[in-house]
Amino acid sequence: MRVVVEYLARKYRVAATAIEPLVMTAQAAGLRVSVDPMLIIAVMAIESGFNPIAESPMGAQGLMQVIPRFHQDKLDAVSGSSLLDPIANIHVGALVLKEYIRLTGSLEAGLQQYAGAASDGDALYAAKVLAERQRIESAVRRISQTGA
């Protein structure tokens, strides 16, 4: 995961010491709820650019842009703390993502539901997240092979 941290820190211009706990939390959350940690990291990248205090005009908050009024049950189950707490936000976001993938029956449809774009027949949000995951994975492979 060190390579992931280094790549994300460079790409998103965020200190590695700030990115590292987010990556480690994504890994833990992914393992806990059986969602690919790289998918969680890609969602964070697309949703907030790793800004833990991001807030959308629709009221979505934090790294994974979770809307509190729709997911208060999951927040209460995680810790009851604020969605602006990065650890709580990642865990809640992973739970939401898992639920939507299960409910829709596919990764792409689950991602579209996550973004509130289920009616987008082109699945642009899902394509964006999956492309980001692929870029991260490719960069990690490249860096691991070359040491650069």
Side-chain angles (χ1 to χ4, degrees), residues 49 60 62 65 71 79 93 103 105 122:
Q65 291 292 279
H71 304 292
S79 67
L103 287 174
D122 294 329

Side-chain angles (χ1 to χ4, degrees), residues 27-75:
Q27 185 176 29
L31 292 172
R32 185 174 175 195
V33 300
S34 299
V35 171
D36 176 11
M38 288 297 184
L39 182 66
I40 295 169
I41 292 167
V43 168
M44 281 191 284
I46 298 303
E47 289 291 339
S48 68
F50 297 99
N51 177 357
I53 58 170
E55 189 163 5
S56 79
M58 297 298 294
Q61 296 180 343
L63 292 161
M64 296 197 57
Q65 291 292 279
V66 176
I67 299 177
R69 71 180 180 271
F70 297 141
H71 304 292
Q72 190 61 49
D73 60 325
K74 291 170 191 66
L75 183 59

Side-chain angles (χ1 to χ4, degrees), residues 53-142:
I53 58 170
E55 189 163 5
S56 79
M58 297 298 294
Q61 296 180 343
L63 292 161
M64 296 197 57
Q65 291 292 279
V66 176
I67 299 177
R69 71 180 180 271
F70 297 141
H71 304 292
Q72 190 61 49
D73 60 325
K74 291 170 191 66
L75 183 59
D76 292 342
V78 166
S79 67
S81 63
S82 168
L83 284 172
L84 295 178
D85 169 4
I87 293 170
N89 188 279
I90 293 168
H91 282 284
V92 170
L95 287 169
V96 172
L97 194 53
K98 173 73 174 193
E99 178 181 353
Y100 288 164
I101 292 167
R102 184 184 55 76
L103 287 174
T104 62
S106 79
L107 177 59
E108 290 79 8
L111 285 166
Q112 287 301 118
Q113 183 73 33
Y114 187 92
S119 62
D120 173 15
D122 294 329
L124 297 177
Y125 177 79
K128 194 174 184 180
V129 169
L130 295 174
E132 182 63 14
R133 179 177 70 174
Q134 183 61 45
R135 280 189 292 275
I136 294 167
E137 290 172 344
S138 294
V140 167
R141 279 192 300 276
R142 186 178 64 251

